[in-house]
């Protein structure tokens, strides 16, 4: 299994809602990532988890809250988002931090904040 | 961190080689060059990476200049399915962080 899965595929939420994005991989990878991608722009790194611990937070607003309950699962909890947070949210994983390790990306969750 | 520069768009005839350039003139000795592509509405897909030697795999070849200031991704026989945005990425060794370029939108024409 060389797949990263993300649910849901699409999400529409109001600015007062609380929702969560889910990402799962069963490749035994020890690093997992959240990226945000606006239309016609490259992905931007948000968070990195290494061995289930938060390793990098790229100064992301606190209305985005990541969680890594176990080595296969990564969540992104969303609360009080703004319309400008509408984007494609991508999850990725890699075996580790070494230079030869590529990242495997999921298909993304397209989020619309109304 | 090094930055990458890519042309915004390119066309290529089906069956011909597609050569996608990337400039990374500020790259340092411990930074790798990675290439990914993103087909519309999908997640990025890994293609190839290298440090200073040329690399080839079943998808593509990566040619890195001797001074490492630029590289070229070569798709030897482009097909319509290769139509995508291609990202050149610099990755500092030992870090998780990818520094994405702005990408080249490659259109393969029938």
């Amino acid at each position: 299994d060389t797949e990263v899965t993300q649910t849901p595929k699409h999400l529409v939420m109001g600015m007062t809602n609380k929702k969560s994005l889910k990402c799962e991989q069963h490749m035994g990878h020890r690093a997992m990532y959240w990226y945000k991608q606006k239309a016609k722009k490259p992905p931007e790194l948000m968070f990195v988890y290494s061995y289930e611990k938060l390793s990098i937070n790229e100064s992301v607003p606190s209305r985005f809250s990541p969680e890594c309950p176990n080595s296969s699962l990564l969540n992104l909890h969303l609360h009080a988002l703004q319309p400008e947070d509408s984007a494609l949210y991508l999850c990725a994983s890699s075996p580790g931090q070494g230079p030869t390790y590529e990242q495997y990306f999921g298909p993304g969750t397209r989020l619309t904040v109304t | 961190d090094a930055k990458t520069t890519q042309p915004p768009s390119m066309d290529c005839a089906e069956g011909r080689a597609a050569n996608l350039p990337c400039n990374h003139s500020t790259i340092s000795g411990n930074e790798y060059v990675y290439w990914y592509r993103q087909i519309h509405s999908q997640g990025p897909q890994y293609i190839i990476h290298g440090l200073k030697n040329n690399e080839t795999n079943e998808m593509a070849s990566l040619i890195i200049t001797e001074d490492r200031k630029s590289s070229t991704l070569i798709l030897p026989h482009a097909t319509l399915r290769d139509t995508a945005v291609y990202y050149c990425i610099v990755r500092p060794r030992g870090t998780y962080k990818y520094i994405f370029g702005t990408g080249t939108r490659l259109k393969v024409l029938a």
Side-chain angles (χ1 to χ4, degrees):
Chain A
D1 184 0
T2 58
E3 199 178 34
V4 175
T5 59
Q6 290 188 245
T7 54
K9 285 191 182 346
H10 301 274
L11 178 63
V12 180
M13 62 185 289
M15 289 189 283
T16 58
N17 291 158
K18 285 185 182 181
K19 296 285 185 184
S20 296
L21 309 184
K22 179 180 169 182
C23 172
E24 204 159 359
Q25 58 87 14
H26 296 287
M27 295 178 278
H29 289 176
R30 304 317 303 261
M32 295 185 76
Y33 312 75
W34 281 115
Y35 287 85
K36 174 182 177 179
Q37 186 175 26
K38 301 285 277 185
K40 299 193 187 304
K41 297 287 187 185
E44 296 176 3
L45 183 65
M46 299 174 72
F47 302 104
V48 179
Y49 272 83
S50 173
Y51 291 85
E52 300 160 50
K53 292 193 183 336
L54 185 62
S55 173
I56 295 176
N57 177 342
E58 289 285 299
S59 303
V60 178
S62 60
R63 57 185 184 269
F64 296 91
S65 175
E67 179 197 19
C68 189
N70 59 57
S71 59
S72 300
L73 191 55
L74 186 66
N75 298 320
L76 186 63
H77 303 298
L78 314 172
H79 173 54
L81 295 192
Q82 304 296 310
E84 59 264 29
D85 296 322
S86 298
L88 181 69
Y89 288 84
L90 293 160
C91 174
S93 70
S94 66
Q97 192 178 346
T100 60
Y101 294 143
E102 67 264 29
Q103 293 183 16
Y104 292 73
F105 284 81
T109 293
R110 189 160 299 280
L111 174 68
T112 303
V113 181
T114 61
Chain B
D1 292 336
K3 301 267 191 299
T4 64
T5 305
Q6 301 175 252
S9 65
M10 293 180 65
D11 290 342
C12 177
E14 191 177 19
R16 305 296 294 269
N19 295 282
L20 292 94
C22 178
N23 180 289
H24 31 80
S25 58
T26 59
I27 197 168
S28 61
N30 65 352
E31 290 181 319
Y32 280 72
V33 179
Y34 278 72
W35 283 83
Y36 279 71
R37 71 181 183 185
Q38 189 171 23
I39 295 168
H40 182 62
S41 297
Q42 298 182 21
Q45 176 192 21
Y46 167 79
I47 300 172
I48 199 166
H49 75 277
L51 182 61
K52 53 184 178 181
N53 298 322
N54 297 338
E55 302 288 345
T56 295
N57 63 22
E58 64 278 3
M59 285 182 72
S61 295
L62 174 60
I63 308 298
I64 302 174
T65 58
E66 195 169 336
D67 63 7
R68 302 188 67 241
K69 292 181 186 294
S70 66
S71 60
T72 301
L73 178 74
I74 301 172
L75 307 178
H77 305 287
T79 71
L80 298 178
R81 285 183 303 227
D82 293 322
T83 292
V85 177
Y86 287 77
Y87 291 106
C88 173
I89 295 164
V90 168
R91 181 186 177 189
R93 186 177 186 142
T95 74
Y96 293 105
K97 192 168 180 178
Y98 280 176
I99 302 167
F100 278 80
T102 51
T104 296
R105 190 170 296 274
L106 175 69
K107 189 172 181 182
V108 179
L109 305 172

